[in-house]
């Protein structure tokens, strides 16, 4: 006998990490297998412009077998090091991994880590035409220390001040030129709150994209939360939504969430509001209707980068014309899949299609 979602959640061991993805028969979306395969095939036709803060994700793997005599902290014996593309660059990796063509736009520092970032782009044969190098900021680096698949500590090196006026103007002009040069099917604002995205940039590029009938999707942070107006899809997590909207709302109050979502969408002229609810699944609102998609247990190794995957897959699903429930379910599934790996990795198109067919397609 199937348990109700609430009973199921309460029955979980308290020490079990969970990420929820759709597998509840009452809420299951049903799609045609052939049409789903054709939708995934169509992703290769799309050019997606990604604007946001990029970074180098550095990893140090090691062993912890003793505590430091100098302070009550673990000693990590380094075994291996690796650097990967992070931030908005991880969104570009997800877009590329799904078969579409990403065009990444950002500003990095004229420094050693900036050079490393460009080398990482070159390694995956990703074009660098959207990247501007500045002498007035550092390239962001996040270094994670991992032992036995456990994330021990993270060290951040970064500047978070906003772009100087001259660089901001150059960056806006550069983005507009790229939109004119390429046939762009969607624009993503991937905001990590490091200063690359400014209010003026949001206003100018949003108007330019809307004038050219290009849908805009947003993964926001707090600083510019209320500046993203007139967009196709807005994707905060629950914490970002309640803090950004100054709400006192329980995460499980879905009806209350819908009421506040409608107000926010009307105020901001947002077509779709996609809110990730971690252990409670995802919520998506079209203003007039909403869907709350529950989920089942996935074993979690690392939640880093899951939001990048969700916005990437949601963008391609929206561009392909899927409805709100399909967008939410498939992108939520994608976010759950990448959480099973203890580093930031892009979603694999073949795996997502296979699991989507298994969960969502007609038998």
């Amino acid at each position: 006998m199937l348990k109700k979602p609430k009973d199921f959640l309460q029955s979980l061991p308290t020490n079990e990490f969970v990420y929820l993805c759709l597998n509840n028969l009452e809420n299951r979306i049903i799609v045609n297998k052939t049409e789903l395969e054709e939708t995934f095939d169509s992703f290769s036709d799309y050019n997606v412009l990604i604007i946001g803060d990029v970074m180098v994700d550095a990893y140090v793997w090691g062993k912890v077998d003793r505590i430091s005599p100098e302070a009550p902290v673990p000693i990590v014996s380094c075994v291996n090091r690796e650097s990967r593309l992070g931030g908005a660059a991880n969104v570009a990796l997800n877009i590329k991994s799904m078969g579409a063509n990403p065009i990444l736009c950002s500003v990095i520092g004229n420094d050693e880590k900036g050079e490393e970032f460009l080398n990482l782009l070159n390694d995956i044969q990703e074009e660098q035409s959207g990247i501007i190098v500045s002498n007035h900021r550092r390239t962001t680096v996040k270094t994670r220390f991992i032992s036995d698949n456990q994330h021990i500590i993270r060290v951040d090196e970064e500047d978070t001040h906003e772009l100087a006026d001259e660089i901001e103007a150059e960056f806006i002009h550069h983005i507009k030129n790229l939109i004119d040069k390429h046939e762009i099917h969607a624009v993503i604002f991937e905001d990590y709150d490091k200063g690359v995205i400014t209010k003026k940039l949001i206003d100018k590029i949003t108007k330019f994209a809307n004038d050219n009938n290009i849908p805009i999707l947003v993964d926001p942070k707090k600083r510019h939360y209320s500046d993203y107006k007139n967009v196709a899809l807005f994707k905060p997590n629950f914490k970002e939504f309640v803090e950004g909207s100054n709400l006192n709302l329980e995460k499980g109050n879905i009806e209350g969430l819908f009421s506040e979502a409608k107000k926010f969408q009307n105020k901001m002229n947002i077509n779709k509001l996609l809110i990730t609810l971690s252990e409670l699944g995802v919520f998506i609102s079209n203003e007039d209707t909403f869907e709350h998609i529950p989920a089942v247990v996935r074993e979690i190794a690392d939640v880093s980068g899951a939001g990048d995957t969700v916005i990437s897959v949601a963008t391609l699903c929206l561009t392909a014309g899927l409805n709100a429930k399909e967008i939410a379910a498939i992108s939520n599934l994608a976010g759950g899949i990448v959480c099973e790996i203890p580093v930031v990795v892009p979603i694999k198109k073949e795996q997502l299609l296979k699991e989507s067919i298994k969960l969502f397609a007609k038998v």
Side-chain angles (χ1 to χ4, degrees):
M1 180 178 177
L2 289 173
K3 293 182 179 181
K4 295 180 180 179
K6 184 177 180 181
D7 296 335
F8 173 71
L9 287 173
Q10 290 175 343
S11 71
L12 291 174
T14 56
N15 63 343
E16 184 159 12
F17 290 96
V18 298
Y19 187 95
L20 299 181
C21 64
L22 178 71
N23 193 24
N24 181 284
L25 295 181
E26 295 178 359
N27 295 275
R28 179 171 176 169
I29 67 169
I30 302 295
V31 297
N32 180 279
K33 177 176 179 290
T34 301
E35 290 179 354
L36 187 60
E37 290 172 336
E38 291 174 348
T39 296
F40 273 60
D41 286 342
S42 74
F43 294 163
S44 61
D45 297 330
Y46 304 144
N47 296 320
V48 180
L49 191 83
I50 302 115
I51 305 168
D53 307 285
V54 298
M55 58 196 69
V56 174
D57 277 336
Y59 294 90
V60 178
W61 282 275
K63 294 289 185 181
V64 175
D65 52 22
R66 62 194 179 105
I67 300 299
S68 172
E70 302 167 358
V73 296
I75 294 176
V76 181
S77 298
C78 179
V79 175
N80 188 32
R81 294 176 180 267
E82 183 181 0
S83 292
R84 302 186 180 196
L85 295 166
N90 188 46
V91 174
L93 285 177
N94 277 275
I95 293 291
K96 189 180 184 74
S97 184
M98 289 296 293
N101 177 42
I103 301 172
L104 180 62
C105 300
S106 190
V107 180
I108 62 173
N110 185 16
D111 50 29
E112 182 180 344
K113 292 300 181 180
E115 184 176 344
E116 182 178 12
F117 178 85
L118 294 176
N119 288 335
L120 289 170
L121 281 182
N122 187 60
D123 287 344
I124 62 165
Q125 298 181 324
E126 178 60 37
E127 67 171 272
Q128 303 175 9
S129 61
I131 305 299
I132 289 178
V133 177
S134 170
N135 291 319
H136 301 290
R137 63 191 303 114
R138 286 185 293 173
T139 302
T140 298
V141 182
K142 294 182 179 180
T143 304
R144 298 173 175 89
F145 292 80
I146 300 172
S147 175
D148 294 326
N149 283 341
Q150 293 295 314
H151 188 160
I152 300 172
I153 193 172
R154 192 181 86 187
V155 178
D156 291 359
E157 304 165 73
E158 61 188 10
D159 289 330
T160 59
H161 59 266
E162 293 200 335
L163 298 178
D165 291 346
E166 184 178 340
I167 295 295
E168 178 189 53
E170 179 186 352
F171 192 39
I172 292 171
H173 180 71
H174 190 59
I175 294 169
K176 287 182 177 180
N177 282 342
L178 288 170
I179 294 175
D180 283 335
K181 181 179 178 181
H182 302 273
E183 181 184 6
I184 302 298
H185 299 90
V187 171
I188 300 174
F189 282 108
E190 181 59 35
D191 195 344
Y192 270 81
D193 211 11
K194 308 302 180 188
V196 167
I197 293 178
T198 65
K199 185 180 187 307
K200 184 175 181 180
L201 184 146
I202 294 168
D203 292 344
K204 295 285 187 180
I205 300 304
T206 298
K207 183 179 187 307
F208 192 74
N210 283 330
D211 287 346
N212 286 276
N213 298 312
I214 302 171
I216 302 161
L217 298 93
V218 179
D219 195 357
K221 280 292 185 288
K222 189 172 183 179
R223 190 186 327 192
H224 293 294
Y225 185 87
S226 298
D227 294 331
Y228 293 105
K229 300 177 181 178
N230 308 313
V231 303
L233 186 145
F234 190 76
K235 188 211 75 66
N237 59 36
F238 181 78
K239 182 174 183 290
E240 289 165 343
F241 180 69
V242 295
E243 289 183 357
S245 302
N246 195 27
L247 300 174
N248 182 17
L249 189 67
E250 293 286 336
K251 187 187 288 186
N253 182 1
I254 303 301
E255 291 290 342
L257 182 59
F258 180 47
S259 175
E260 296 299 337
K262 286 191 293 183
K263 296 176 188 176
F264 182 73
Q265 286 175 266
N266 286 328
K267 175 184 175 183
M268 305 292 286
N269 192 27
I270 291 170
N271 185 260
K272 290 180 176 63
L273 179 62
L274 174 62
I275 303 175
T276 55
L277 305 173
S278 58
E279 76 279 4
L280 297 184
V282 294
F283 166 95
I284 191 165
S285 168
N286 272 329
E287 290 188 44
D288 296 327
T289 61
F290 75 93
E291 300 286 350
H292 171 223
I293 301 179
V296 295
V297 176
R298 292 196 87 103
E299 186 174 339
I300 297 303
D302 189 351
V303 299
S304 304
D308 300 340
T309 299
V310 170
I311 191 67
S312 302
V313 174
T315 297
L316 295 175
C317 288
L318 182 144
T319 305
L322 297 188
N323 64 39
K325 191 171 187 177
E326 293 164 345
I327 292 169
I330 295 172
S331 59
N332 184 53
L333 174 61
I337 290 171
V338 299
C339 283
E340 294 180 319
I341 305 169
V343 294
V344 176
V345 294
I347 186 68
K348 293 181 179 179
K349 179 180 179 179
E350 296 76 14
Q351 182 181 3
L352 180 58
L353 177 59
K354 181 179 179 180
E355 292 205 27
S356 295
I357 290 172
K358 181 180 178 180
L359 288 174
F360 310 139
K362 292 179 182 177
V363 180

